Amino acid sequence: MSIRTLDDLLAEGVSGRRVLVRADLNVPLDKQTGDITDDGRIRAVLPTLSALTGAGAKVVVCSHLGRPKGAPDPQFSLRPVAGRLGELLGARVHFATDTVGESARSTVDALADGEVALLENLRFNKGETSKDDTERGAFADELAAFGDAYVDDAFGAVHRKHASVHDVPARLPHVAGRLVLREVEVLSRLTGEPERPYVVVLGGSKVSDKLAVIEALLPSVDRLLIGGGMCFTFLKAQGHEVGSSLLEEEMVETCRSLLERSEGKIMLPVDVVAADAFAPDAAHDTVPADGIPSKRVGLDIGPETVAGFAAALKGARTIFWNGPMGVFEMPAFADGTRGIAETIAKSEAFTVVGGGDSAAAVRALGLDESSFGHISTGGGASLEYLEGKTLPGIAALEN
């Protein structure tokens, strides 16, 4: 790739210049209190912001949060993020109560060298996600007016053709931030010539969400371990009863074909934790994967599967993990995810956690993040990169 980097921009000098930074501050918030429950994505952008403020730039940060419908919605405000970002930076972050309106303009105009402003949620403006090039471009014009240069450090959004990701770079000198550069370097290792054995662990709820990446990875991996809700469609394809477990009936034939074409690379659970209901206090026990009772729901992989998966991971030299093995948010059904995560953390392989729920699980389970080679901030973006898709945000930086 031919992408200019943050170091290139810093070498040119940014003191006194306004730098517009697209960050991914789409953090989870507690629905009752509005408190941030996982600040991993905020911490991920700190190296880029600290480098810019340290060099005297006037930093204007923009991001989305959640999925508002193109209009202001208090439950998706970035105000709590501004407070946490300020705590982590050790300096006040000025907050604009709109995206490109009067508050944004006055907040940006008042910035001193080395200060940071955060604009309100980009998706409060329908131009951010519009499929109409003219509407999206008009919003990009307004955003670009806040910067003399643009830095994309929002890897979690580079697979979206949105104004702040795809259109703003065409209007300003643009570079990749520290996080985006690291993400691309890491994922390039997986799509190039990964050190072998190369083992991939996939979980999550739906086969349909992971079908493209399974198709892309099968020729290149040595083993593909499948857990989470998606495993039940594969088990059904083998002819097993899956009870009331999550099942994509329309994907059963596809899964059967994948198993036939996988040359034994795909490894499925041999036991599962089956419960009476989808509830944290539901009665449950471990049953063989080919003997799930008809009225029970599988909510985690069982201990024999954890041991089998761990054995498959033991000799790996490269590991990619995306998707939890069970409903880890419920303690009774977190052992599978914890077991696989701990195995990967102890591995001497080059290990990559593919963002999204996997990254959330690492933090929720209290595991040491530094034990993993890389924890991606972009679940969907990392998968699409591995699928070989063109990511609009990366393409915009290359131009």
Side-chain angles (χ1 to χ4, degrees), residues 35 144 159 207 258 338 358 378:
D35 294 336
H159 59 315
V207 177
L258 287 169
R338 181 186 296 279
S358 311

Side-chain angles (χ1 to χ4, degrees), residues 43-373:
R43 288 186 283 113
V45 77
L46 294 179
T48 288
L49 299 185
S50 296
L52 288 167
T53 56
K58 300 175 180 180
V59 182
V60 182
V61 183
C62 60
S63 177
H64 74 284
L65 192 154
R67 296 189 177 186
K69 306 297 184 182
D73 185 336
Q75 68 175 317
F76 296 117
S77 175
L78 280 168
R79 186 179 289 278
V81 175
R84 181 59 179 150
L85 180 58
E87 292 173 359
L88 292 169
L89 286 172
R92 180 188 175 191
V93 170
H94 303 272
F95 182 64
T97 58
D98 55 28
T99 54
V100 292
E102 182 178 344
S103 176
R105 289 190 294 271
S106 61
T107 300
V108 172
D109 289 344
L111 281 178
D113 294 359
E115 290 190 332
V116 178
L118 175 62
L119 306 180
E120 184 55 286
N121 194 334
L122 292 168
R123 292 186 182 177
F124 285 1
N125 190 306
K126 61 182 180 180
E128 167 68 359
T129 60
S130 175
K131 289 182 169 52
D132 180 86
D133 291 348
T134 301
E135 183 176 35
R136 205 176 58 248
F139 182 53
D141 288 339
E142 294 182 282
L143 276 177
F146 292 141
D148 301 308
Y150 169 86
V151 178
D152 189 345
D153 216 27
F155 183 75
V158 295
H159 59 315
R160 306 297 187 191
K161 190 177 180 180
H162 291 169
S164 64
V165 175
H166 177 263
D167 300 277
V168 171
R171 291 157 169 79
L172 291 172
H174 48 270
V175 302
R178 299 247 196 271
L179 175 62
V180 164
L181 189 63
R182 171 64 176 161
E183 295 271 15
V184 172
E185 288 173 345
V186 166
L187 293 174
S188 294
R189 287 181 64 174
L190 299 182
T191 56
E193 294 293 333
E195 192 173 354
R196 297 185 178 280
Y198 175 24
V199 180
V200 171
V201 185
L202 291 181
S205 57
K206 296 181 178 180
V207 177
S208 54
D209 291 342
K210 303 284 173 72
L211 177 61
V213 77
I214 292 172
E215 294 272 14
L217 288 172
L218 263 182
S220 62
V221 302
D222 294 294
R223 298 302 297 271
L224 177 58
L225 318 181
I226 295 180
M230 62 189 290
C231 78
F232 299 107
T233 304
F234 278 94
L235 291 172
K236 185 72 171 181
Q238 289 185 321
H240 302 318
E241 170 64 53
V242 298
S244 56
S245 305
L246 185 64
L247 175 66
E248 290 183 281
E249 194 71 55
E250 71 281 6
M251 297 297 296
V252 170
E253 284 303 319
T254 299
C255 289
R256 185 174 290 120
S257 174
L258 287 169
L259 289 168
E260 291 172 353
R261 293 187 283 118
S262 71
E263 300 176 346
K265 291 180 179 180
I266 293 178
M267 189 171 179
L268 297 174
V270 294
D271 61 344
V272 301
V273 179
D276 287 342
F278 187 91
D281 58 351
H284 59 276
D285 53 23
T286 302
V287 301
D290 60 357
I292 302 172
S294 61
K295 293 183 179 181
R296 286 205 155 193
V297 54
L299 297 181
D300 196 10
I301 59 173
E304 286 190 34
T305 300
V306 172
F309 282 10
L313 290 164
K314 187 174 181 180
R317 298 304 303 162
T318 304
I319 298 172
F320 175 73
W321 168 39
N322 180 279
M325 298 292 97
V327 188
F328 73 92
E329 298 90 345
M330 301 179 187
F333 311 111
D335 288 348
T337 301
R338 181 186 296 279
I340 296 307
E342 289 178 343
T343 298
I344 295 172
K346 294 173 184 175
S347 173
E348 296 181 359
F350 174 60
T351 58
V352 180
V353 180
D357 287 340
S358 311
V362 168
R363 290 187 277 270
L365 296 173
L367 302 176
D368 183 359
E369 294 181 51
S370 66
S371 300
F372 301 88

